[in-house]
Amino acid sequence: MSFNPLYLLLIIPMLLTWWSQSKVRQTYEEYGERPNRLGLSGTEAATRLLAHLGLSSLRIERISGYLTDHYDPRKKTLRLSDGVARGSSITSLGIGAHEVGHAAQDAQRYRFMRLRTALSRRIGQVTGWSSIAFVGGWIFGVPLLMAFSAAMMAGMVVFSLVTLPVERNASDRALKSLEETGLAAPEEIGGVRKVLRAAAFTYLTGLGQRLGRLMFFVLLA
């Protein structure tokens, strides 16, 4: 039984995604063991940065899980994972500042942030079924279902593309705010930058995985 090279479109991005997630965990743990100079928790750092940016009215909530930190533009709320919210490490400082960067994007109506939010609302609820629907359409010979599923997968590729500048800009804002407020010492900025770069790489591999999946199903059909 011969190996179909098309499967490489799924295997290679999957391996890269696994490697990037492993790299993120390694970097998070490395700088998660280094306390920041001021001993600020992620919540405290985020609170001070929000005040610095004139966004004190935004809420900060704790959320369970690992690497679950995010900003919710619909509810104007920062959600920090337990480890980041309570931890006083360089990792907590960087992640808290990054989510504040997203809040600043929302407040300033950053165009890529608005586009990503709009895409998320329109395609976020159906994309989980896109691959299954495509296979179903292929097996039962329903071209319209295949085309719809492919369009959803293409939409997620666009979503991932838009996410890249959003995440990069949020990290740049985080580093700038930390420097302006003095919440991170010059020697800590390098560690924060490494944490944010490691996280950003997962979005790049996520784009590769979605693009590979789309190409696999289209070429297979």
Side-chain angles (χ1 to χ4, degrees):
M1 184 176 178
S2 60
F3 176 77
N4 190 336
L6 284 180
Y7 285 109
L8 293 175
L9 292 171
L10 298 178
I11 295 172
I12 293 177
M14 182 178 65
L15 291 176
L16 285 173
T17 299
W18 174 83
W19 178 83
S20 67
Q21 291 174 345
S22 175
K23 184 68 175 178
V24 167
R25 289 179 180 273
Q26 179 183 347
T27 306
Y28 275 27
E29 290 173 2
E30 177 184 353
Y31 289 96
E33 296 175 354
R34 302 186 188 184
N36 60 68
R37 175 177 54 93
L38 298 178
L40 295 174
S41 68
T43 299
E44 291 169 336
T47 300
R48 293 196 187 187
L49 291 174
L50 287 173
H52 170 70
L53 296 171
L55 300 173
S56 298
S57 61
L58 298 185
R59 296 171 56 194
I60 301 176
E61 296 179 351
R62 268 199 267 175
I63 187 172
S64 61
Y66 184 69
L67 305 180
T68 52
D69 311 272
H70 66 279
Y71 170 71
D72 186 342
R74 288 172 292 183
K75 296 186 177 180
K76 310 300 181 186
T77 301
L78 274 75
R79 297 194 176 96
L80 302 179
S81 61
D82 287 332
V84 170
R86 295 184 296 183
S88 57
S89 65
I90 291 177
T91 292
S92 297
L93 189 66
I95 299 303
H98 179 83
E99 300 310 327
V100 170
H102 283 310
Q105 289 174 335
D106 185 32
Q108 297 174 12
R109 300 179 65 82
Y110 179 59
R111 62 184 182 278
F112 286 113
M113 176 74 159
R114 293 170 61 193
L115 178 56
R116 185 176 76 164
T117 301
L119 287 171
S120 177
R121 289 173 179 171
R122 285 166 173 76
I123 64 178
Q125 296 180 348
V126 296
T127 49
W129 297 94
S130 59
S131 299
I132 297 174
F134 193 99
V135 172
W138 181 45
I139 292 175
F140 296 106
V142 185
L144 185 61
L145 182 57
M146 294 169 64
F148 176 75
S149 302
M152 290 299 99
M153 284 189 273
M156 285 308 296
V157 170
V158 174
F159 176 82
S160 295
L161 271 172
V162 172
T163 293
L164 296 181
V166 172
E167 296 299 326
R168 174 64 183 271
N169 181 263
S171 292
D172 290 343
R173 290 171 184 263
L175 292 167
K176 182 180 178 180
S177 294
L178 288 172
E179 290 177 334
E180 288 177 346
T181 57
L183 296 186
E187 62 271 16
E188 294 174 323
I189 290 293
V192 171
R193 185 176 286 109
K194 287 182 180 179
V195 169
L196 298 180
R197 281 180 178 174
F201 191 67
T202 63
Y203 293 101
L204 184 61
T205 56
L207 168 61
Q209 191 169 26
R210 285 169 174 162
L211 182 59
R213 185 185 302 119
L214 172 62
M215 293 175 63
F216 170 81
F217 282 115
V218 171
L219 292 174
L220 186 65

